[in-house]
Amino acid sequence: MKFSEIQELQWEELRPYLDTCLLPVTGLRGTEAPWQAASELERLRDALDLLEIPFKGRTVTYPAVHFVPADSAETFLGETCVRLKEAGFRYVVIVTAKSEEELVLNPDGLEGKADLLLRFTPDELLRSASDAKSRAAAEVTALWNGRQSL
């Protein structure tokens, strides 16, 4: 579910079931032309489709973090993940359509804050979407079963 689909009066009833927050990260730097920013958002949407649709009854997709500071990305995202957990989510999964070169994130800097970092490269989303979908399902399921984390 998307955060905007949950009404105030429903939240307490749904909360035990919606224990996983998907935190989309666009990873823009502010140097992108409008068409480039639009392309990045489309890639992120495609990545989120791999998770939102199959896990609709257990995940809440929060608003995307569009701009990430290059010199403190782990700190910024880590603090956001901690706050989401304080808000009641058991798991926080960072989802991005940026490669490691495009968005440098040291998993050690996110350890204990984010539970999973899922990257989907443009090539993966275009040429092997079914493989990406299988990988996403396997990694999230492993997280829920206690077999995977950052």
Side-chain angles (χ1 to χ4, degrees), residues 39 42 47 52 66 69 74 76 96 116 121 141 144:
S39 177
E42 289 169 3
E52 287 177 325
H66 294 297
E74 294 90 4
F76 179 76
T96 186
L116 186 60
T121 63
T141 302
W144 289 337

Side-chain angles (χ1 to χ4, degrees), residues 51-100:
L51 298 159
E52 287 177 325
I53 294 168
F55 298 122
K56 184 173 181 163
R58 189 154 177 192
T59 64
V60 177
T61 302
Y62 258 57
V65 176
H66 294 297
F67 296 94
V68 179
D71 57 344
S72 59
E74 294 90 4
T75 302
F76 179 76
L77 292 173
E79 289 172 359
T80 302
C81 292
V82 167
R83 286 192 300 273
L84 289 167
K85 286 185 174 191
E86 289 171 353
F89 289 101
R90 182 171 178 188
Y91 304 105
V92 178
V93 178
I94 295 174
V95 182
T96 186
K98 291 279 196 183
S99 69
E100 290 180 34

Side-chain angles (χ1 to χ4, degrees), residues 1-81:
M1 298 183 84
K2 293 191 186 314
F3 69 96
S4 59
E5 296 173 336
I6 301 171
Q7 301 299 312
E8 181 179 356
L9 297 175
Q10 296 175 303
W11 178 235
E12 287 306 317
E13 181 182 333
L14 294 173
R15 191 178 200 159
Y17 307 104
L18 299 171
D19 66 349
T20 304
C21 176
L22 301 178
L23 180 61
V25 177
T26 313
L28 299 175
R29 298 285 183 223
T31 58
E32 299 83 4
W35 65 268
Q36 290 171 314
S39 177
E40 295 296 330
L41 286 168
E42 289 169 3
R43 284 175 40 194
L44 185 57
R45 176 206 58 211
D46 294 346
L48 285 169
D49 283 349
L50 301 172
L51 298 159
E52 287 177 325
I53 294 168
F55 298 122
K56 184 173 181 163
R58 189 154 177 192
T59 64
V60 177
T61 302
Y62 258 57
V65 176
H66 294 297
F67 296 94
V68 179
D71 57 344
S72 59
E74 294 90 4
T75 302
F76 179 76
L77 292 173
E79 289 172 359
T80 302
C81 292

